[in-house]
Amino acid sequence: MEWFEKLYDESESVKVRFVGFTTEAVRYDFGIVYTNMFFGKPLVVCMQTGRSALLDSNDMRNLEYIKQVFHIKTMKEAEDLALFFEEAVPNIPVIEQYD
């Protein structure tokens, strides 16, 4: 194995929430991992596609970002997801991780 520089190796007990829901047109299944890593941003994983993103309150309101990261087809679907994320993901202030 080639030499590499380890950046971090952390273990943490985390809270994970699994949520499945439907809109008028689409079914969603998400896992939301609440962690102290990654500046306190929860890791949101689409269980159907495997796509994931670290989301904070600004990201959740950015419809273009939601469309891009989860490969959403319409703005209506992105709006529905944004509403879900605003309810499901707490508004946590960004945490300083590095000195």
Side-chain angles (χ1 to χ4, degrees):
M1 181 155 99
E2 292 184 37
W3 182 87
F4 64 93
E5 182 179 351
K6 186 182 288 189
L7 299 176
Y8 59 88
D9 183 359
E10 300 288 331
S11 295
E12 178 183 16
S13 295
V14 299
K15 178 181 175 185
V16 179
R17 177 180 177 194
F18 295 99
V19 182
F21 65 96
T22 62
T23 64
E24 291 180 19
V26 183
R27 174 189 170 134
Y28 296 101
D29 297 282
F30 285 102
I32 304 169
V33 181
Y34 302 95
T35 175
N36 291 317
M37 296 293 294
F38 312 114
F39 306 101
K41 289 184 175 187
L43 175 64
V44 179
V45 181
C46 176
M47 304 305 289
Q48 295 168 335
T49 64
R51 289 180 170 73
S52 63
L54 296 166
L55 297 179
D56 65 13
S57 57
N58 291 330
D59 299 326
M60 289 180 265
R61 288 188 292 271
N62 185 337
L63 299 181
E64 285 297 328
Y65 180 69
I66 289 173
K67 269 185 75 176
Q68 175 190 3
V69 76
F70 291 110
H71 291 238
I72 302 299
K73 296 175 184 163
T74 68
M75 275 305 232
K76 173 66 172 129
E77 290 176 35
E79 289 170 4
D80 291 341
L81 272 184
L83 287 173
F84 164 73
F85 290 144
E86 285 185 25
E87 289 181 17
V89 180
N91 187 3
I92 300 172
V94 175
I95 300 167
E96 184 76 29
Q97 270 190 308
Y98 305 107
D99 296 330

